[in-house]
Amino acid sequence: MTPVYVPTSEDVRLYECAVLYPILSQKDEQQLQKEIEALFTEAAATLVSKDVWGRRGIAYPIKGQMEGCYVVYYYEMDPSKVKEIDAQLRIMKNVMRHLMVKPPKDYEIVNFAEKYEKWLKERETVEQRRTREKDEEVKEKLAKKVQMQAKRGAAEKKVKTEEKP
C-alpha cells in the first residue's frame, strides 16, 4: 500500500496537474516537460511525484490530433500561485490541454503508469492462459470424438460378425 500524502506545512497544499500535449520528438518532449517543471519551480513549488503516462488515445480530436501524450505532476505549493501557473500553461506552446485539481485530504498518490504496465503484463498471461485452456478443451473434444468413433467401429464389426452365420 502506498503512503498517504501528508503536507509539509500549513502554507502549502498538494495539487495534481495533468498535461496533454501532442506527439513530439523525444527532444521536444523533454524540452516541454522541462519548461512545465520550470513554471512550477519559479512558483516555489516542490515536486512530489511525476507520472508519465505516455502516448494514449484522445476521446475527441484536439487540433486535429487523435492521440497525445499525458504527464501527471503532483506539486506541493502555495494556493495563491495556482492561477498564475494555470494562465501560463494555457498559453504555453504544445500544451493541448491541462487540468489542475486540489486532491482531497489524505489523498493517496498512485503511479498509474506503473500499474498500467503491470496490468498489461498480467493481461498477457491471462490471454495466454485462456488460449491454453481453449487448446486443452479442443484436445479433450477431439479425444472423445476419437473414442466414440472407435466404439462405433467396434460395434459395427460386432454387428457384421453376428450377421454372417
Side-chain angles (χ1 to χ4, degrees):
M1 186 172 153
T2 56
V4 175
Y5 167 77
V6 179
T8 56
S9 73
E10 293 294 320
D11 298 340
V12 295
R13 285 270 320 161
L14 178 71
Y15 289 92
E16 178 179 314
C17 180
V19 179
L20 169 66
Y21 55 90
I23 298 164
L24 303 169
S25 68
Q26 189 174 8
K27 180 182 174 185
D28 291 339
E29 186 175 345
Q30 289 175 349
Q31 181 63 32
L32 179 63
Q33 288 180 10
K34 285 179 184 176
E35 289 175 13
I36 293 169
E37 291 168 14
L39 281 177
F40 285 97
T41 305
E42 289 173 14
T46 307
L47 180 64
V48 176
S49 178
K50 178 180 175 182
D51 191 7
V52 181
W53 289 11
R55 188 177 187 165
R56 304 285 167 95
I58 302 174
Y60 56 90
I62 301 172
K63 298 181 182 177
Q65 302 281 329
M66 283 304 294
E67 285 188 328
C69 297
Y70 293 86
V71 179
V72 179
Y73 297 97
Y74 293 94
Y75 276 99
E76 200 175 61
M77 61 188 216
D78 184 20
S80 63
K81 305 283 186 176
V82 173
K83 285 185 180 179
E84 177 185 324
I85 290 175
D86 187 54
Q88 289 176 346
L89 282 171
R90 191 171 287 130
I91 61 173
M92 185 177 276
K93 183 182 176 189
N94 285 331
V95 173
M96 294 184 343
R97 294 284 190 274
H98 73 280
L99 176 68
M100 287 195 63
V101 294
K102 180 175 69 172
K105 290 187 179 186
D106 301 330
Y107 181 71
E108 184 178 322
I109 296 174
V110 178
N111 191 336
F112 287 101
E114 287 178 9
K115 286 191 174 229
Y116 179 72
E117 292 297 323
K118 183 179 176 185
W119 174 80
L120 282 177
K121 289 178 184 174
E122 289 174 357
R123 184 188 69 165
E124 290 173 355
T125 58
V126 167
E127 286 177 358
Q128 290 170 351
R129 182 178 44 103
R130 286 182 183 156
T131 304
R132 181 180 41 80
E133 288 173 355
K134 284 182 182 178
D135 289 344
E136 289 174 359
E137 191 176 307
V138 168
K139 286 179 184 178
E140 287 177 21
K141 286 181 180 179
L142 185 61
K144 286 181 182 179
K145 191 174 184 179
V146 169
Q147 286 177 348
M148 291 299 290
Q149 288 176 346
K151 286 181 181 178
R152 276 192 213 133
E156 287 176 6
K157 285 182 183 177
K158 187 177 181 183
V159 169
K160 286 181 183 178
T161 55
E162 289 176 2
E163 289 177 359
K164 284 184 182 177

